[in-house]
Tab-separated table of all heavy atoms in Angstrom:
chain	number	residue	atom	x	y	z
S	400	PHE	N	108.814	124.297	95.266
S	400	PHE	CA	108.798	124.872	93.915
S	400	PHE	C	107.930	126.135	93.887
S	400	PHE	O	108.345	127.183	93.376
S	400	PHE	CB	108.270	123.857	92.890
S	400	PHE	CG	108.092	124.465	91.521
S	400	PHE	CD1	109.180	124.673	90.683
S	400	PHE	CD2	106.830	124.857	91.072
S	400	PHE	CE1	109.018	125.264	89.428
S	400	PHE	CE2	106.663	125.448	89.822
S	400	PHE	CZ	107.761	125.650	88.998
S	403	ARG	N	109.704	128.869	95.319
S	403	ARG	CA	110.996	129.132	94.658
S	403	ARG	C	112.172	128.965	95.620
S	403	ARG	O	113.085	129.803	95.679
S	403	ARG	CB	111.029	130.548	94.057
S	403	ARG	CG	109.876	130.856	93.109
S	403	ARG	CD	110.046	130.096	91.797
S	403	ARG	NE	109.023	130.459	90.835
S	403	ARG	CZ	107.902	129.760	90.626
S	403	ARG	NH1	107.649	128.656	91.320
S	403	ARG	NH2	107.049	130.137	89.712
S	468	CYS	N	110.154	122.667	83.268
S	468	CYS	CA	109.518	123.574	84.215
S	468	CYS	C	108.457	124.395	83.478
S	468	CYS	O	108.717	124.956	82.413
S	468	CYS	CB	110.570	124.490	84.821
S	468	CYS	SG	109.867	125.835	85.803
S	469	SER	N	107.256	124.472	84.062
S	469	SER	CA	106.160	125.189	83.405
S	469	SER	C	106.381	126.699	83.434
S	469	SER	O	105.754	127.433	82.688
S	469	SER	CB	104.835	124.850	84.094
S	469	SER	OG	104.889	125.293	85.433
S	470	VAL	N	107.307	127.155	84.280
S	470	VAL	CA	107.548	128.596	84.385
S	470	VAL	C	108.647	129.038	83.412
S	470	VAL	O	108.494	130.021	82.692
S	470	VAL	CB	107.941	128.976	85.834
S	470	VAL	CG1	108.337	130.449	85.930
S	470	VAL	CG2	106.799	128.661	86.791
S	471	CYS	N	109.775	128.282	83.396
S	471	CYS	CA	110.939	128.767	82.635
S	471	CYS	C	111.412	127.795	81.558
S	471	CYS	O	112.314	128.130	80.789
S	471	CYS	CB	112.090	129.081	83.595
S	471	CYS	SG	112.852	127.606	84.284
S	472	GLY	N	110.855	126.604	81.497
S	472	GLY	CA	111.224	125.664	80.438
S	472	GLY	C	112.480	124.852	80.699
S	472	GLY	O	112.876	124.037	79.880
S	473	THR	N	113.126	125.046	81.847
S	473	THR	CA	114.326	124.280	82.202
S	473	THR	C	113.913	122.846	82.582
S	473	THR	O	112.885	122.663	83.233
S	473	THR	CB	115.035	124.939	83.407
S	473	THR	OG1	115.327	126.293	83.067
S	473	THR	CG2	116.316	124.222	83.780
S	475	ILE	N	113.319	119.666	84.640
S	475	ILE	CA	113.212	119.393	86.077
S	475	ILE	C	114.321	118.412	86.468
S	475	ILE	O	114.594	117.463	85.751
S	475	ILE	CB	111.835	118.769	86.403
S	475	ILE	CG1	110.700	119.725	86.019
S	475	ILE	CG2	111.744	118.345	87.863
S	475	ILE	CD1	110.705	121.041	86.734
S	488	CYS	N	113.215	122.716	90.042
S	488	CYS	CA	113.703	123.423	88.864
S	488	CYS	C	114.969	124.168	89.261
S	488	CYS	O	114.923	125.064	90.099
S	488	CYS	CB	112.664	124.409	88.344
S	488	CYS	SG	113.384	125.478	87.066
S	489	PRO	N	116.129	123.810	88.655
S	489	PRO	CA	117.385	124.434	89.070
S	489	PRO	C	117.420	125.936	88.772
S	489	PRO	O	118.193	126.663	89.406
S	489	PRO	CB	118.442	123.687	88.244
S	489	PRO	CG	117.698	123.049	87.125
S	489	PRO	CD	116.308	122.804	87.608
S	490	ARG	N	116.581	126.400	87.872
S	490	ARG	CA	116.614	127.831	87.560
S	490	ARG	C	115.668	128.626	88.463
S	490	ARG	O	116.031	129.673	88.998
S	490	ARG	CB	116.227	128.032	86.093
S	490	ARG	CG	116.431	129.444	85.645
S	490	ARG	CD	116.547	129.514	84.124
S	490	ARG	NE	116.424	130.904	83.723
S	490	ARG	CZ	116.030	131.279	82.525
S	490	ARG	NH1	115.717	130.356	81.602
S	490	ARG	NH2	115.950	132.545	82.223
S	491	CYS	N	114.448	128.107	88.662
S	491	CYS	CA	113.488	128.828	89.519
S	491	CYS	C	113.841	128.689	91.009
S	491	CYS	O	113.408	129.504	91.821
S	491	CYS	CB	112.078	128.287	89.311
S	491	CYS	SG	111.408	128.647	87.690
S	492	GLN	N	114.572	127.619	91.351
S	492	GLN	CA	114.922	127.378	92.760
S	492	GLN	C	116.445	127.318	92.901
S	492	GLN	O	116.998	126.258	93.198
S	492	GLN	CB	114.299	126.054	93.229
S	492	GLN	CG	112.774	126.024	93.186
S	492	GLN	CD	112.230	124.610	93.274
S	492	GLN	OE1	111.981	123.972	92.251
S	492	GLN	NE2	112.056	124.097	94.480
F	152	ZN	ZN1	111.793	126.910	86.269
Side-chain angles (χ1 to χ4, degrees):
F400 173 78
R403 306 288 185 263
C468 171
S469 63
V470 174
C471 72
T473 303
I475 299 299
C488 170
R490 188 159 167 204
C491 292
Q492 298 164 267

